[in-house]
């Protein structure tokens, strides 16, 4: 009742009351997939400090949540820091990621593909937590043509809104934003 739109809800996977994902056994690649998901799915992402630096501790088999320590260093060249920076630019520049509806396009226990849409803006995301996989044909909702992943630099060709023969490497994530030409005016106003 308080929130009419799911894009207004805060989403997170770590906080001050929970063990960090890596303390629970997730490797850095799984953490990368979790960050990609939370920064591209609906809602307002909330990243707990240190996640971009892989801050964790495995004391007592991860039972110590290690959720309030001081950070001894800050590395802007850390891979997850760079990932967050790239995806923050996508969120800022693509209105579909900010406000768009979410459409599941492929779902298995290992692979999740979804698209976000708002007006003419689009974003297609593919996450593979398993081994190499080949998807015969996946609806992307992107316009026909070539689209480049902001994470890998891979270019995918879309025909009739679909990608055929989508290869996903083990642990791979793809994010393909499409920003349509802006309509007249700069502001988007939402009434509730």
């Amino acid at each position: 009742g308080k929130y009419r739109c799911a894009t207004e809800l805060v989403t997170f996977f770590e906080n001050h009351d929970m063990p960090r994902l890596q303390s629970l056994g997730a490797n850095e690649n799984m953490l990368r997939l979790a960050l990609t998901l939370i920064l591209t799915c609906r809602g307002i992402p909330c990243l707990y400090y240190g996640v971009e630096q892989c801050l964790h501790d495995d004391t007592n088999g991860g039972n110590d949540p290690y959720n309030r320590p001081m950070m001894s260093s800050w590395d802007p060249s850390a891979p997850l820091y760079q990932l967050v920076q790239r995806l923050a630019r996508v969120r800022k520049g693509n209105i579909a990621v900010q406000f768009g509806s979410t459409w599941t396009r492929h779902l298995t226990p290992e692979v999740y593909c979804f698209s976000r849409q708002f007006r003419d803006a689009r974003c297609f995301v593919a996450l593979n937590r398993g081994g190499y996989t080949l998807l015969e044909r996946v609806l992307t909702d992107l316009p026909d043509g070539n689209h480049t992943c902001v994470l890998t630099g891979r270019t995918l060709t879309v025909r009739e809104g679909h990608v055929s023969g989508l290869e996903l490497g083990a642990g791979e994530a793809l994010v393909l934003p499409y920003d349509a030409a802006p309509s007249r005016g700069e502001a988007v106003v939402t009434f509730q």
Side-chain angles (χ1 to χ4, degrees), residues 81-117:
Y81 178 94
Q82 297 290 319
L83 173 76
V84 170
Q85 193 174 48
R86 278 191 208 106
L87 293 174
R89 282 196 290 275
V90 170
R91 282 194 75 84
K92 182 177 181 180
N94 187 294
I95 198 163
V97 180
Q98 296 172 32
F99 301 110
S101 55
T102 302
W103 301 91
T104 297
R105 297 304 178 201
H106 184 87
L107 180 62
T108 69
E110 303 298 323
V111 177
Y112 179 41
C113 300
F114 63 95
S115 64
R116 304 284 312 275
Q117 304 173 31

PDB file of all heavy atoms in Angstrom, residues 81-117:
ATOM      1  N   TYR A  81      34.772  -3.076  -8.170  1.00  0.00           N
ATOM      2  CA  TYR A  81      34.600  -1.619  -8.174  1.00  0.00           C
ATOM      3  C   TYR A  81      34.350  -1.147  -9.605  1.00  0.00           C
ATOM      4  O   TYR A  81      33.447  -0.346  -9.861  1.00  0.00           O
ATOM      5  CB  TYR A  81      35.839  -0.935  -7.592  1.00  0.00           C
ATOM      6  CG  TYR A  81      35.766   0.576  -7.607  1.00  0.00           C
ATOM      7  CD1 TYR A  81      35.301   1.263  -6.497  1.00  0.00           C
ATOM      8  CD2 TYR A  81      36.163   1.302  -8.714  1.00  0.00           C
ATOM      9  CE1 TYR A  81      35.232   2.645  -6.500  1.00  0.00           C
ATOM     10  CE2 TYR A  81      36.085   2.683  -8.730  1.00  0.00           C
ATOM     11  CZ  TYR A  81      35.626   3.349  -7.620  1.00  0.00           C
ATOM     12  OH  TYR A  81      35.555   4.718  -7.630  1.00  0.00           O
ATOM     13  N   GLN A  82      35.149  -1.648 -10.553  1.00  0.00           N
ATOM     14  CA  GLN A  82      34.996  -1.280 -11.961  1.00  0.00           C
ATOM     15  C   GLN A  82      33.629  -1.728 -12.487  1.00  0.00           C
ATOM     16  O   GLN A  82      32.983  -1.009 -13.248  1.00  0.00           O
ATOM     17  CB  GLN A  82      36.124  -1.907 -12.795  1.00  0.00           C
ATOM     18  CG  GLN A  82      37.505  -1.425 -12.433  1.00  0.00           C
ATOM     19  CD  GLN A  82      37.730   0.020 -12.830  1.00  0.00           C
ATOM     20  OE1 GLN A  82      37.309   0.450 -13.904  1.00  0.00           O
ATOM     21  NE2 GLN A  82      38.372   0.772 -11.967  1.00  0.00           N
ATOM     22  N   LEU A  83      33.186  -2.910 -12.074  1.00  0.00           N
ATOM     23  CA  LEU A  83      31.872  -3.405 -12.484  1.00  0.00           C
ATOM     24  C   LEU A  83      30.765  -2.483 -11.991  1.00  0.00           C
ATOM     25  O   LEU A  83      29.874  -2.092 -12.755  1.00  0.00           O
ATOM     26  CB  LEU A  83      31.651  -4.815 -11.938  1.00  0.00           C
ATOM     27  CG  LEU A  83      30.252  -5.400 -12.154  1.00  0.00           C
ATOM     28  CD1 LEU A  83      30.083  -5.848 -13.593  1.00  0.00           C
ATOM     29  CD2 LEU A  83      29.996  -6.548 -11.201  1.00  0.00           C
ATOM     30  N   VAL A  84      30.803  -2.127 -10.713  1.00  0.00           N
ATOM     31  CA  VAL A  84      29.788  -1.238 -10.145  1.00  0.00           C
ATOM     32  C   VAL A  84      29.797   0.097 -10.881  1.00  0.00           C
ATOM     33  O   VAL A  84      28.742   0.655 -11.196  1.00  0.00           O
ATOM     34  CB  VAL A  84      30.006  -1.052  -8.622  1.00  0.00           C
ATOM     35  CG1 VAL A  84      29.121   0.056  -8.072  1.00  0.00           C
ATOM     36  CG2 VAL A  84      29.744  -2.357  -7.889  1.00  0.00           C
ATOM     37  N   GLN A  85      30.971   0.602 -11.187  1.00  0.00           N
ATOM     38  CA  GLN A  85      31.078   1.876 -11.889  1.00  0.00           C
ATOM     39  C   GLN A  85      30.422   1.799 -13.274  1.00  0.00           C
ATOM     40  O   GLN A  85      29.655   2.687 -13.653  1.00  0.00           O
ATOM     41  CB  GLN A  85      32.559   2.253 -12.012  1.00  0.00           C
ATOM     42  CG  GLN A  85      32.800   3.671 -12.442  1.00  0.00           C
ATOM     43  CD  GLN A  85      34.286   3.999 -12.387  1.00  0.00           C
ATOM     44  OE1 GLN A  85      35.117   3.243 -12.884  1.00  0.00           O
ATOM     45  NE2 GLN A  85      34.609   5.115 -11.768  1.00  0.00           N
ATOM     46  N   ARG A  86      30.688   0.727 -14.023  1.00  0.00           N
ATOM     47  CA  ARG A  86      30.083   0.571 -15.356  1.00  0.00           C
ATOM     48  C   ARG A  86      28.558   0.468 -15.255  1.00  0.00           C
ATOM     49  O   ARG A  86      27.829   1.095 -16.018  1.00  0.00           O
ATOM     50  CB  ARG A  86      30.619  -0.683 -16.041  1.00  0.00           C
ATOM     51  CG  ARG A  86      31.933  -0.494 -16.701  1.00  0.00           C
ATOM     52  CD  ARG A  86      32.277  -1.701 -17.580  1.00  0.00           C
ATOM     53  NE  ARG A  86      33.709  -1.810 -17.649  1.00  0.00           N
ATOM     54  CZ  ARG A  86      34.430  -2.723 -17.025  1.00  0.00           C
ATOM     55  NH1 ARG A  86      33.861  -3.655 -16.309  1.00  0.00           N
ATOM     56  NH2 ARG A  86      35.735  -2.730 -17.131  1.00  0.00           N
ATOM     57  N   LEU A  87      28.091  -0.363 -14.320  1.00  0.00           N
ATOM     58  CA  LEU A  87      26.647  -0.568 -14.206  1.00  0.00           C
ATOM     59  C   LEU A  87      25.930   0.650 -13.633  1.00  0.00           C
ATOM     60  O   LEU A  87      24.770   0.900 -13.952  1.00  0.00           O
ATOM     61  CB  LEU A  87      26.361  -1.826 -13.388  1.00  0.00           C
ATOM     62  CG  LEU A  87      26.788  -3.126 -14.076  1.00  0.00           C
ATOM     63  CD1 LEU A  87      26.610  -4.314 -13.150  1.00  0.00           C
ATOM     64  CD2 LEU A  87      26.048  -3.329 -15.381  1.00  0.00           C
ATOM     65  N   ALA A  88      26.608   1.430 -12.804  1.00  0.00           N
ATOM     66  CA  ALA A  88      26.015   2.685 -12.316  1.00  0.00           C
ATOM     67  C   ALA A  88      25.795   3.647 -13.483  1.00  0.00           C
ATOM     68  O   ALA A  88      24.782   4.364 -13.526  1.00  0.00           O
ATOM     69  CB  ALA A  88      26.904   3.313 -11.249  1.00  0.00           C
ATOM     70  N   ARG A  89      26.716   3.652 -14.440  1.00  0.00           N
ATOM     71  CA  ARG A  89      26.537   4.500 -15.633  1.00  0.00           C
ATOM     72  C   ARG A  89      25.340   4.027 -16.459  1.00  0.00           C
ATOM     73  O   ARG A  89      24.587   4.831 -17.004  1.00  0.00           O
ATOM     74  CB  ARG A  89      27.803   4.516 -16.478  1.00  0.00           C
ATOM     75  CG  ARG A  89      28.884   5.427 -15.932  1.00  0.00           C
ATOM     76  CD  ARG A  89      29.979   5.746 -16.942  1.00  0.00           C
ATOM     77  NE  ARG A  89      30.853   4.649 -17.285  1.00  0.00           N
ATOM     78  CZ  ARG A  89      31.932   4.280 -16.600  1.00  0.00           C
ATOM     79  NH1 ARG A  89      32.278   4.932 -15.513  1.00  0.00           N
ATOM     80  NH2 ARG A  89      32.669   3.276 -17.012  1.00  0.00           N
ATOM     81  N   VAL A  90      25.159   2.697 -16.544  1.00  0.00           N
ATOM     82  CA  VAL A  90      24.005   2.164 -17.269  1.00  0.00           C
ATOM     83  C   VAL A  90      22.723   2.597 -16.563  1.00  0.00           C
ATOM     84  O   VAL A  90      21.782   3.068 -17.203  1.00  0.00           O
ATOM     85  CB  VAL A  90      24.077   0.626 -17.393  1.00  0.00           C
ATOM     86  CG1 VAL A  90      22.765   0.055 -17.925  1.00  0.00           C
ATOM     87  CG2 VAL A  90      25.242   0.218 -18.284  1.00  0.00           C
ATOM     88  N   ARG A  91      22.665   2.459 -15.244  1.00  0.00           N
ATOM     89  CA  ARG A  91      21.469   2.867 -14.489  1.00  0.00           C
ATOM     90  C   ARG A  91      21.176   4.348 -14.686  1.00  0.00           C
ATOM     91  O   ARG A  91      20.031   4.751 -14.843  1.00  0.00           O
ATOM     92  CB  ARG A  91      21.632   2.599 -12.993  1.00  0.00           C
ATOM     93  CG  ARG A  91      21.434   1.172 -12.588  1.00  0.00           C
ATOM     94  CD  ARG A  91      21.270   1.038 -11.097  1.00  0.00           C
ATOM     95  NE  ARG A  91      19.963   1.473 -10.670  1.00  0.00           N
ATOM     96  CZ  ARG A  91      18.860   0.728 -10.683  1.00  0.00           C
ATOM     97  NH1 ARG A  91      18.914  -0.494 -11.114  1.00  0.00           N
ATOM     98  NH2 ARG A  91      17.723   1.213 -10.263  1.00  0.00           N
ATOM     99  N   LYS A  92      22.207   5.162 -14.641  1.00  0.00           N
ATOM    100  CA  LYS A  92      22.017   6.601 -14.780  1.00  0.00           C
ATOM    101  C   LYS A  92      21.563   6.981 -16.187  1.00  0.00           C
ATOM    102  O   LYS A  92      20.744   7.873 -16.358  1.00  0.00           O
ATOM    103  CB  LYS A  92      23.321   7.326 -14.442  1.00  0.00           C
ATOM    104  CG  LYS A  92      23.199   8.820 -14.503  1.00  0.00           C
ATOM    105  CD  LYS A  92      24.485   9.499 -14.095  1.00  0.00           C
ATOM    106  CE  LYS A  92      24.311  11.016 -14.144  1.00  0.00           C
ATOM    107  NZ  LYS A  92      25.547  11.704 -13.761  1.00  0.00           N
ATOM    108  N   GLY A  93      22.079   6.283 -17.190  1.00  0.00           N
ATOM    109  CA  GLY A  93      21.814   6.673 -18.567  1.00  0.00           C
ATOM    110  C   GLY A  93      20.673   5.963 -19.249  1.00  0.00           C
ATOM    111  O   GLY A  93      20.247   6.377 -20.325  1.00  0.00           O
ATOM    112  N   ASN A  94      20.154   4.900 -18.665  1.00  0.00           N
ATOM    113  CA  ASN A  94      19.112   4.127 -19.330  1.00  0.00           C
ATOM    114  C   ASN A  94      17.854   4.133 -18.470  1.00  0.00           C
ATOM    115  O   ASN A  94      17.811   3.499 -17.413  1.00  0.00           O
ATOM    116  CB  ASN A  94      19.602   2.696 -19.577  1.00  0.00           C
ATOM    117  CG  ASN A  94      18.623   1.897 -20.404  1.00  0.00           C
ATOM    118  OD1 ASN A  94      17.518   1.623 -19.964  1.00  0.00           O
ATOM    119  ND2 ASN A  94      19.028   1.517 -21.599  1.00  0.00           N
ATOM    120  N   ILE A  95      16.849   4.815 -18.942  1.00  0.00           N
ATOM    121  CA  ILE A  95      15.617   4.982 -18.156  1.00  0.00           C
ATOM    122  C   ILE A  95      14.873   3.661 -17.968  1.00  0.00           C
ATOM    123  O   ILE A  95      14.127   3.490 -17.002  1.00  0.00           O
ATOM    124  CB  ILE A  95      14.731   6.076 -18.784  1.00  0.00           C
ATOM    125  CG1 ILE A  95      13.707   6.555 -17.770  1.00  0.00           C
ATOM    126  CG2 ILE A  95      14.105   5.613 -20.071  1.00  0.00           C
ATOM    127  CD1 ILE A  95      13.079   7.865 -18.120  1.00  0.00           C
ATOM    128  N   ALA A  96      15.108   2.691 -18.865  1.00  0.00           N
ATOM    129  CA  ALA A  96      14.474   1.377 -18.697  1.00  0.00           C
ATOM    130  C   ALA A  96      14.993   0.683 -17.443  1.00  0.00           C
ATOM    131  O   ALA A  96      14.246  -0.003 -16.748  1.00  0.00           O
ATOM    132  CB  ALA A  96      14.727   0.504 -19.923  1.00  0.00           C
ATOM    133  N   VAL A  97      16.279   0.870 -17.130  1.00  0.00           N
ATOM    134  CA  VAL A  97      16.848   0.252 -15.933  1.00  0.00           C
ATOM    135  C   VAL A  97      16.360   0.987 -14.683  1.00  0.00           C
ATOM    136  O   VAL A  97      16.210   0.390 -13.625  1.00  0.00           O
ATOM    137  CB  VAL A  97      18.391   0.215 -16.012  1.00  0.00           C
ATOM    138  CG1 VAL A  97      18.996  -0.417 -14.774  1.00  0.00           C
ATOM    139  CG2 VAL A  97      18.836  -0.546 -17.250  1.00  0.00           C
ATOM    140  N   GLN A  98      16.091   2.264 -14.800  1.00  0.00           N
ATOM    141  CA  GLN A  98      15.604   3.035 -13.653  1.00  0.00           C
ATOM    142  C   GLN A  98      14.141   2.750 -13.345  1.00  0.00           C
ATOM    143  O   GLN A  98      13.785   2.520 -12.190  1.00  0.00           O
ATOM    144  CB  GLN A  98      15.753   4.533 -13.935  1.00  0.00           C
ATOM    145  CG  GLN A  98      17.164   5.010 -14.096  1.00  0.00           C
ATOM    146  CD  GLN A  98      17.210   6.449 -14.563  1.00  0.00           C
ATOM    147  OE1 GLN A  98      16.339   7.253 -14.234  1.00  0.00           O
ATOM    148  NE2 GLN A  98      18.221   6.780 -15.340  1.00  0.00           N
ATOM    149  N   PHE A  99      13.301   2.781 -14.367  1.00  0.00           N
ATOM    150  CA  PHE A  99      11.860   2.748 -14.149  1.00  0.00           C
ATOM    151  C   PHE A  99      11.125   1.634 -14.880  1.00  0.00           C
ATOM    152  O   PHE A  99       9.926   1.480 -14.719  1.00  0.00           O
ATOM    153  CB  PHE A  99      11.222   4.071 -14.601  1.00  0.00           C
ATOM    154  CG  PHE A  99      11.753   5.277 -13.893  1.00  0.00           C
ATOM    155  CD1 PHE A  99      12.544   6.185 -14.575  1.00  0.00           C
ATOM    156  CD2 PHE A  99      11.469   5.509 -12.566  1.00  0.00           C
ATOM    157  CE1 PHE A  99      13.036   7.316 -13.936  1.00  0.00           C
ATOM    158  CE2 PHE A  99      11.956   6.624 -11.918  1.00  0.00           C
ATOM    159  CZ  PHE A  99      12.750   7.523 -12.605  1.00  0.00           C
ATOM    160  N   GLY A 100      11.816   0.872 -15.699  1.00  0.00           N
ATOM    161  CA  GLY A 100      11.149  -0.048 -16.610  1.00  0.00           C
ATOM    162  C   GLY A 100      10.528  -1.265 -15.971  1.00  0.00           C
ATOM    163  O   GLY A 100      10.884  -1.685 -14.878  1.00  0.00           O
ATOM    164  N   SER A 101       9.602  -1.833 -16.720  1.00  0.00           N
ATOM    165  CA  SER A 101       9.022  -3.114 -16.321  1.00  0.00           C
ATOM    166  C   SER A 101      10.039  -4.212 -16.625  1.00  0.00           C
ATOM    167  O   SER A 101      10.946  -4.037 -17.434  1.00  0.00           O
ATOM    168  CB  SER A 101       7.720  -3.359 -17.081  1.00  0.00           C
ATOM    169  OG  SER A 101       7.940  -3.276 -18.471  1.00  0.00           O
ATOM    170  N   THR A 102       9.882  -5.330 -15.955  1.00  0.00           N
ATOM    171  CA  THR A 102      10.803  -6.451 -16.114  1.00  0.00           C
ATOM    172  C   THR A 102      10.071  -7.622 -16.745  1.00  0.00           C
ATOM    173  O   THR A 102       8.977  -7.978 -16.308  1.00  0.00           O
ATOM    174  CB  THR A 102      11.371  -6.886 -14.741  1.00  0.00           C
ATOM    175  OG1 THR A 102      12.025  -5.771 -14.135  1.00  0.00           O
ATOM    176  CG2 THR A 102      12.352  -8.036 -14.892  1.00  0.00           C
ATOM    177  N   TRP A 103      10.713  -8.226 -17.758  1.00  0.00           N
ATOM    178  CA  TRP A 103      10.128  -9.363 -18.451  1.00  0.00           C
ATOM    179  C   TRP A 103      11.147 -10.503 -18.477  1.00  0.00           C
ATOM    180  O   TRP A 103      12.237 -10.352 -19.022  1.00  0.00           O
ATOM    181  CB  TRP A 103       9.744  -8.981 -19.886  1.00  0.00           C
ATOM    182  CG  TRP A 103       8.760  -7.865 -19.916  1.00  0.00           C
ATOM    183  CD1 TRP A 103       9.030  -6.531 -19.970  1.00  0.00           C
ATOM    184  CD2 TRP A 103       7.349  -7.977 -19.831  1.00  0.00           C
ATOM    185  NE1 TRP A 103       7.859  -5.815 -19.937  1.00  0.00           N
ATOM    186  CE2 TRP A 103       6.803  -6.670 -19.861  1.00  0.00           C
ATOM    187  CE3 TRP A 103       6.475  -9.058 -19.743  1.00  0.00           C
ATOM    188  CZ2 TRP A 103       5.450  -6.424 -19.799  1.00  0.00           C
ATOM    189  CZ3 TRP A 103       5.116  -8.806 -19.686  1.00  0.00           C
ATOM    190  CH2 TRP A 103       4.616  -7.506 -19.717  1.00  0.00           C
ATOM    191  N   THR A 104      10.793 -11.626 -17.873  1.00  0.00           N
ATOM    192  CA  THR A 104      11.667 -12.793 -17.910  1.00  0.00           C
ATOM    193  C   THR A 104      11.649 -13.365 -19.318  1.00  0.00           C
ATOM    194  O   THR A 104      10.583 -13.611 -19.877  1.00  0.00           O
ATOM    195  CB  THR A 104      11.203 -13.855 -16.898  1.00  0.00           C
ATOM    196  OG1 THR A 104      11.305 -13.293 -15.588  1.00  0.00           O
ATOM    197  CG2 THR A 104      12.054 -15.116 -16.977  1.00  0.00           C
ATOM    198  N   ARG A 105      12.834 -13.598 -19.876  1.00  0.00           N
ATOM    199  CA  ARG A 105      12.942 -14.105 -21.253  1.00  0.00           C
ATOM    200  C   ARG A 105      13.503 -15.519 -21.331  1.00  0.00           C
ATOM    201  O   ARG A 105      13.296 -16.213 -22.307  1.00  0.00           O
ATOM    202  CB  ARG A 105      13.789 -13.147 -22.102  1.00  0.00           C
ATOM    203  CG  ARG A 105      13.177 -11.770 -22.235  1.00  0.00           C
ATOM    204  CD  ARG A 105      11.790 -11.876 -22.799  1.00  0.00           C
ATOM    205  NE  ARG A 105      11.117 -10.589 -22.906  1.00  0.00           N
ATOM    206  CZ  ARG A 105       9.819 -10.469 -22.974  1.00  0.00           C
ATOM    207  NH1 ARG A 105       9.043 -11.530 -22.902  1.00  0.00           N
ATOM    208  NH2 ARG A 105       9.264  -9.278 -23.089  1.00  0.00           N
ATOM    209  N   HIS A 106      14.217 -15.939 -20.294  1.00  0.00           N
ATOM    210  CA  HIS A 106      14.714 -17.321 -20.228  1.00  0.00           C
ATOM    211  C   HIS A 106      15.042 -17.595 -18.769  1.00  0.00           C
ATOM    212  O   HIS A 106      15.686 -16.779 -18.122  1.00  0.00           O
ATOM    213  CB  HIS A 106      15.957 -17.500 -21.099  1.00  0.00           C
ATOM    214  CG  HIS A 106      16.450 -18.912 -21.131  1.00  0.00           C
ATOM    215  ND1 HIS A 106      15.978 -19.844 -22.018  1.00  0.00           N
ATOM    216  CD2 HIS A 106      17.362 -19.558 -20.366  1.00  0.00           C
ATOM    217  CE1 HIS A 106      16.583 -20.999 -21.805  1.00  0.00           C
ATOM    218  NE2 HIS A 106      17.427 -20.855 -20.804  1.00  0.00           N
ATOM    219  N   LEU A 107      14.611 -18.753 -18.269  1.00  0.00           N
ATOM    220  CA  LEU A 107      14.847 -19.064 -16.866  1.00  0.00           C
ATOM    221  C   LEU A 107      15.067 -20.560 -16.683  1.00  0.00           C
ATOM    222  O   LEU A 107      14.222 -21.373 -17.065  1.00  0.00           O
ATOM    223  CB  LEU A 107      13.655 -18.609 -16.010  1.00  0.00           C
ATOM    224  CG  LEU A 107      13.755 -18.856 -14.515  1.00  0.00           C
ATOM    225  CD1 LEU A 107      14.920 -18.092 -13.906  1.00  0.00           C
ATOM    226  CD2 LEU A 107      12.449 -18.449 -13.832  1.00  0.00           C
ATOM    227  N   THR A 108      16.224 -20.891 -16.143  1.00  0.00           N
ATOM    228  CA  THR A 108      16.544 -22.251 -15.729  1.00  0.00           C
ATOM    229  C   THR A 108      17.240 -22.114 -14.377  1.00  0.00           C
ATOM    230  O   THR A 108      17.518 -20.994 -13.939  1.00  0.00           O
ATOM    231  CB  THR A 108      17.488 -22.962 -16.726  1.00  0.00           C
ATOM    232  OG1 THR A 108      18.774 -22.343 -16.674  1.00  0.00           O
ATOM    233  CG2 THR A 108      16.947 -22.945 -18.141  1.00  0.00           C
ATOM    234  N   PRO A 109      17.564 -23.226 -13.709  1.00  0.00           N
ATOM    235  CA  PRO A 109      18.303 -23.088 -12.451  1.00  0.00           C
ATOM    236  C   PRO A 109      19.671 -22.422 -12.624  1.00  0.00           C
ATOM    237  O   PRO A 109      20.226 -21.888 -11.670  1.00  0.00           O
ATOM    238  CB  PRO A 109      18.451 -24.542 -11.971  1.00  0.00           C
ATOM    239  CG  PRO A 109      17.268 -25.245 -12.560  1.00  0.00           C
ATOM    240  CD  PRO A 109      17.085 -24.604 -13.911  1.00  0.00           C
ATOM    241  N   GLU A 110      20.221 -22.423 -13.840  1.00  0.00           N
ATOM    242  CA  GLU A 110      21.550 -21.859 -14.063  1.00  0.00           C
ATOM    243  C   GLU A 110      21.543 -20.530 -14.807  1.00  0.00           C
ATOM    244  O   GLU A 110      22.464 -19.735 -14.657  1.00  0.00           O
ATOM    245  CB  GLU A 110      22.424 -22.859 -14.839  1.00  0.00           C
ATOM    246  CG  GLU A 110      22.555 -24.208 -14.170  1.00  0.00           C
ATOM    247  CD  GLU A 110      23.231 -24.122 -12.813  1.00  0.00           C
ATOM    248  OE1 GLU A 110      24.162 -23.320 -12.658  1.00  0.00           O
ATOM    249  OE2 GLU A 110      22.818 -24.850 -11.897  1.00  0.00           O
ATOM    250  N   VAL A 111      20.552 -20.281 -15.654  1.00  0.00           N
ATOM    251  CA  VAL A 111      20.551 -19.107 -16.533  1.00  0.00           C
ATOM    252  C   VAL A 111      19.294 -18.277 -16.313  1.00  0.00           C
ATOM    253  O   VAL A 111      18.184 -18.817 -16.258  1.00  0.00           O
ATOM    254  CB  VAL A 111      20.639 -19.527 -18.020  1.00  0.00           C
ATOM    255  CG1 VAL A 111      20.567 -18.314 -18.938  1.00  0.00           C
ATOM    256  CG2 VAL A 111      21.918 -20.309 -18.272  1.00  0.00           C
ATOM    257  N   TYR A 112      19.492 -16.968 -16.201  1.00  0.00           N
ATOM    258  CA  TYR A 112      18.373 -16.042 -16.094  1.00  0.00           C
ATOM    259  C   TYR A 112      18.601 -14.921 -17.099  1.00  0.00           C
ATOM    260  O   TYR A 112      19.612 -14.223 -17.039  1.00  0.00           O
ATOM    261  CB  TYR A 112      18.278 -15.473 -14.674  1.00  0.00           C
ATOM    262  CG  TYR A 112      17.165 -14.471 -14.459  1.00  0.00           C
ATOM    263  CD1 TYR A 112      15.903 -14.641 -15.013  1.00  0.00           C
ATOM    264  CD2 TYR A 112      17.378 -13.342 -13.674  1.00  0.00           C
ATOM    265  CE1 TYR A 112      14.890 -13.732 -14.798  1.00  0.00           C
ATOM    266  CE2 TYR A 112      16.364 -12.423 -13.448  1.00  0.00           C
ATOM    267  CZ  TYR A 112      15.120 -12.621 -14.014  1.00  0.00           C
ATOM    268  OH  TYR A 112      14.117 -11.710 -13.806  1.00  0.00           O
ATOM    269  N   CYS A 113      17.674 -14.775 -18.029  1.00  0.00           N
ATOM    270  CA  CYS A 113      17.697 -13.677 -18.998  1.00  0.00           C
ATOM    271  C   CYS A 113      16.425 -12.866 -18.804  1.00  0.00           C
ATOM    272  O   CYS A 113      15.336 -13.430 -18.695  1.00  0.00           O
ATOM    273  CB  CYS A 113      17.740 -14.191 -20.433  1.00  0.00           C
ATOM    274  SG  CYS A 113      19.171 -15.196 -20.837  1.00  0.00           S
ATOM    275  N   PHE A 114      16.580 -11.540 -18.769  1.00  0.00           N
ATOM    276  CA  PHE A 114      15.406 -10.688 -18.638  1.00  0.00           C
ATOM    277  C   PHE A 114      15.622  -9.404 -19.416  1.00  0.00           C
ATOM    278  O   PHE A 114      16.746  -9.043 -19.763  1.00  0.00           O
ATOM    279  CB  PHE A 114      15.075 -10.395 -17.169  1.00  0.00           C
ATOM    280  CG  PHE A 114      16.132  -9.636 -16.417  1.00  0.00           C
ATOM    281  CD1 PHE A 114      16.070  -8.249 -16.297  1.00  0.00           C
ATOM    282  CD2 PHE A 114      17.178 -10.302 -15.797  1.00  0.00           C
ATOM    283  CE1 PHE A 114      17.034  -7.554 -15.579  1.00  0.00           C
ATOM    284  CE2 PHE A 114      18.144  -9.617 -15.072  1.00  0.00           C
ATOM    285  CZ  PHE A 114      18.077  -8.238 -14.972  1.00  0.00           C
ATOM    286  N   SER A 115      14.513  -8.745 -19.710  1.00  0.00           N
ATOM    287  CA  SER A 115      14.596  -7.448 -20.372  1.00  0.00           C
ATOM    288  C   SER A 115      13.862  -6.425 -19.527  1.00  0.00           C
ATOM    289  O   SER A 115      12.942  -6.759 -18.781  1.00  0.00           O
ATOM    290  CB  SER A 115      14.020  -7.505 -21.790  1.00  0.00           C
ATOM    291  OG  SER A 115      12.641  -7.792 -21.749  1.00  0.00           O
ATOM    292  N   ARG A 116      14.322  -5.204 -19.622  1.00  0.00           N
ATOM    293  CA  ARG A 116      13.675  -4.068 -18.958  1.00  0.00           C
ATOM    294  C   ARG A 116      13.221  -3.122 -20.056  1.00  0.00           C
ATOM    295  O   ARG A 116      13.937  -2.917 -21.039  1.00  0.00           O
ATOM    296  CB  ARG A 116      14.662  -3.349 -18.034  1.00  0.00           C
ATOM    297  CG  ARG A 116      15.350  -4.181 -16.968  1.00  0.00           C
ATOM    298  CD  ARG A 116      14.488  -4.524 -15.779  1.00  0.00           C
ATOM    299  NE  ARG A 116      13.753  -3.430 -15.200  1.00  0.00           N
ATOM    300  CZ  ARG A 116      14.220  -2.568 -14.293  1.00  0.00           C
ATOM    301  NH1 ARG A 116      15.453  -2.680 -13.850  1.00  0.00           N
ATOM    302  NH2 ARG A 116      13.454  -1.601 -13.824  1.00  0.00           N
ATOM    303  N   GLN A 117      12.029  -2.525 -19.889  1.00  0.00           N
ATOM    304  CA  GLN A 117      11.476  -1.639 -20.905  1.00  0.00           C
ATOM    305  C   GLN A 117      10.816  -0.436 -20.253  1.00  0.00           C
ATOM    306  O   GLN A 117      10.090  -0.587 -19.267  1.00  0.00           O
ATOM    307  CB  GLN A 117      10.414  -2.360 -21.724  1.00  0.00           C
ATOM    308  CG  GLN A 117      10.872  -3.616 -22.385  1.00  0.00           C
ATOM    309  CD  GLN A 117       9.708  -4.349 -23.033  1.00  0.00           C
ATOM    310  OE1 GLN A 117       8.746  -3.747 -23.481  1.00  0.00           O
ATOM    311  NE2 GLN A 117       9.789  -5.666 -23.075  1.00  0.00           N
TER     312      GLN A 117
END
